[in-house]
Amino acid sequence: MTREFKKILRFWGIGLVWFYFLLWPLMGLKGDQVSFADSLKVWAAVAVASGLCVVVWLLRERGVLDPLGRGLAAGRNAARAAYSGLPVWVWALVGLACSLCLPLVANRYVMDVFINVLVYVCLGLGLNIVVGLAGLLDLGYIAFYGVGAYTYALLSIHFGISFWLCLPVAAVFAAIAGCFIGYPTLRMRGDYLAIVTLGFGEIVRIVLNNWMGLTNGPNGILGVKAPSVIWPSFANGFELETIWLRSLDGLYYVILGLTVVTVISVYRLNYSRVGRAWEAIREDETAAELMGVNTFRLKLLAYAMGAVFGGLAGAFFAARFRFVSPESFTFLESAMVLSMVVLGGMGSIPGVILGALALIALPEAFREFELYRMLAFGAAMTIMMLFRPAGLIPAPRFGSRSEEAD
Amino acid sequence: MDYFLQQLTNGVTLGGVYALIALGYTMVYGIIQLINFAHGEFFAAGGYMGVILIGWLLTTGAPPWVCLSLGMLLAMGYCAMLAMAVEKVAYKPLRKASRLAVLLSALGMSIFLQNGLMLTQGVYDKAYPTQMTQGGFAIGNVSISYMQVIIVAVTAALLIGLNLLVFRTRIGKAMRATAQDKTMSALVGINANRVISTTFAIGAALAAAAGIMVGFYYGSVRYDMGFVPGIKAFAAAVLGGIGNITGAMIGGFVIGLVEIFAAAYISSQYKDVFAFIILIAVLYFMPTGIMGENVDDTRV
């Protein structure tokens, strides 16, 4: 019975009593009925689960779990050695080959989930530029996704312009929105930036929701065209035929292409002069400015570049569902993308991909617990921050640096 | 003119609610530099506890004003306990972590609490027993409901009480000292953890009071009601100068008045937009808010 153990036990005991006090009024008081059964059931489940955690912790402290830990560490080292044994592009090619073959083995449902994952990979990588590289917290990122989606939707239904032509237009519009948001906010420091970007995200959503003339308000826009390809057809002579990529496989390849473009661009940006400058700004803005980095322009560029990828993903979103409505662009989506970036490891491309996979595909695996999904998501986010704040695959950091003040 | 006065009354009522929520944000931010995203959920939980506890107390046959005040006190206590638990579990272990880690932990707690409310209370609006506070009177052509009077009176009482607590008591002095300089206050024997815990409890209790009053004012509560007032109240806190208690009160009233007047004279659909535009404009021209900020940038 060490002191540490007593402390944990006391924390656990008091915590459980405290928890019951918080739980009972919510579950046990319904109108004039006072019941204890339901709340006690939930409470007992939580007590047993947390008790198990305490036991595991105790065993680990006693060294009972050491062999297991050694085994895990050995496995991890082996994996790391295998990973660093081959150059990065080999792994990237393996990943790409697997993704290309996926439609051959997967059913509709799995395809649907993976399309979703890839959309979020694009979004995550875009946000990664802003948050991970330039170190600017953005809580309204989903606004750019919305701008891209509405740009394509409007151009498609009013002018019938094809998806491929609209992609760059959507990207440009999103970039303009990014500059528009970035310009007044960039003079603010950390947390103000967070709340102002959040405010901007909400403004965009409210405008989309209320500008009936342009966006048809909460009803959304129907009848957006799917992406098409022009394909030569020799059925009667020679003519060019337009094929609409409505099938999931077709859409999957479109978003896979977008993702590959995004990954390569972000990778190249990361190791370019601009990327280095962003990292310098993240580490110490004043020092970066002293070294001759034009911080204002580069921060604006970070916003615009992040917005570009959000806009591309947004255009795809509109083309995929052939419908857009403001409720797809809520704060919760921004939070979701941000948690992917942080969960995966800020500034790390494989990290963000893994984060998107974990946050989109894992909840699908627990479909039957639909109701508890967001509850678990919130709890997992907190637990993740408590035990692994640097993310699953932290980005490699070069050189040594003094402790960050901010 | 009557219309203006009417809107002014409504604006002050709403502003009082925002001020109460903003205080929790500003006090927490002043001490640990955290945007406590879960604060909006304390507000929502307060609203739910109000309807649950007041409804239950009413069935015991006690006089309505006893039910109202006792229910409110109990709900405030409940939210204080909730906030202390959240702080202990989700924020305290992260005192030395990066700011983003704490922020995301707070975001996680916000989602967790919101869904906890949804799972235990349902997705639909829950109606408040508003019949006990119905009615009102008119001064000239300006009609004032009793609920508005209660809201303004309770808000005023709470704001005065908070001012007394922060500026006249030992714990208030400890809070101010911790917000100013954590290292020095620790050196003179102030227990930072206890102060932070107390700050969370007080902020959440004020938010709970705001939640109950909003419940009575609008007649119902919803599990996701905390989000929009939450960001507006944070905007109010920033507007007034974050960490500054007087500033948060002023900021709350400013945001409330802006929202009501924008809805009355410009466009009711875009009223939320105006609150944010004011926030952005103030931050652009006055980066430290109206009253100046009061934040200790050193880490605990």
Side-chain angles (χ1 to χ4, degrees), chain A residues 107-157:
Chain A
N107 60 14
R108 284 185 62 82
Y109 173 64
V110 174
M111 290 307 298
D112 206 53
V113 172
F114 270 86
I115 291 178
N116 240 344
V117 169
L118 289 178
V119 170
Y120 277 98
V121 168
C122 284
L123 284 172
L125 286 171
L127 185 63
N128 185 36
I129 294 178
V130 185
V131 180
L133 293 185
L136 306 162
L137 186 52
D138 186 349
L139 293 178
Y141 184 69
I142 213 70
F144 307 127
Y145 187 48
V147 168
Y150 269 87
T151 308
Y152 173 56
L154 290 171
L155 287 175
S156 168
I157 61 158

Side-chain angles (χ1 to χ4, degrees), chain A residues 153-297:
Chain A
L154 290 171
L155 287 175
S156 168
I157 61 158
H158 289 309
F159 306 106
I161 303 175
S162 103
F163 174 73
W164 303 104
L165 284 176
C166 286
L167 263 183
V169 181
V172 168
F173 269 67
I176 293 171
C179 292
F180 193 67
I181 293 177
Y183 181 73
T185 53
L186 286 180
R187 289 161 203 273
M188 298 163 193
R189 66 175 168 71
D191 297 305
Y192 288 168
L193 194 67
I195 198 72
V196 169
T197 49
L198 206 171
F200 262 121
E202 279 298 292
I203 289 177
V204 169
R205 195 181 60 79
I206 294 167
V207 169
L208 291 179
N209 210 6
N210 288 314
W211 194 349
M212 291 303 285
L214 184 73
T215 65
N216 199 20
N219 305 329
I221 298 175
L222 269 168
V224 182
K225 295 241 166 34
S228 61
V229 285
I230 294 173
W231 199 256
S233 149
F234 300 101
N236 35 5
F238 174 80
E239 59 187 29
L240 291 173
E241 188 186 16
T242 307
I243 301 175
W244 297 101
L245 297 174
R246 289 213 183 87
S247 71
L248 280 175
D249 290 357
L251 287 170
Y252 175 77
Y253 283 118
V254 172
I255 186 65
L256 187 62
L258 275 180
T259 310
V260 170
V261 170
T262 309
V263 169
I264 293 173
S265 326
V266 172
Y267 182 81
R268 298 290 298 162
L269 272 173
N270 196 350
Y271 292 98
S272 68
R273 270 177 78 87
V274 175
R276 290 283 175 235
W278 280 336
E279 286 190 0
I281 292 173
R282 180 188 68 197
E283 297 302 333
D284 190 332
E285 203 178 323
T286 321
E289 182 126 35
L290 272 172
M291 297 301 287
V293 175
N294 185 340
T295 52
F296 186 76
R297 215 165 67 194

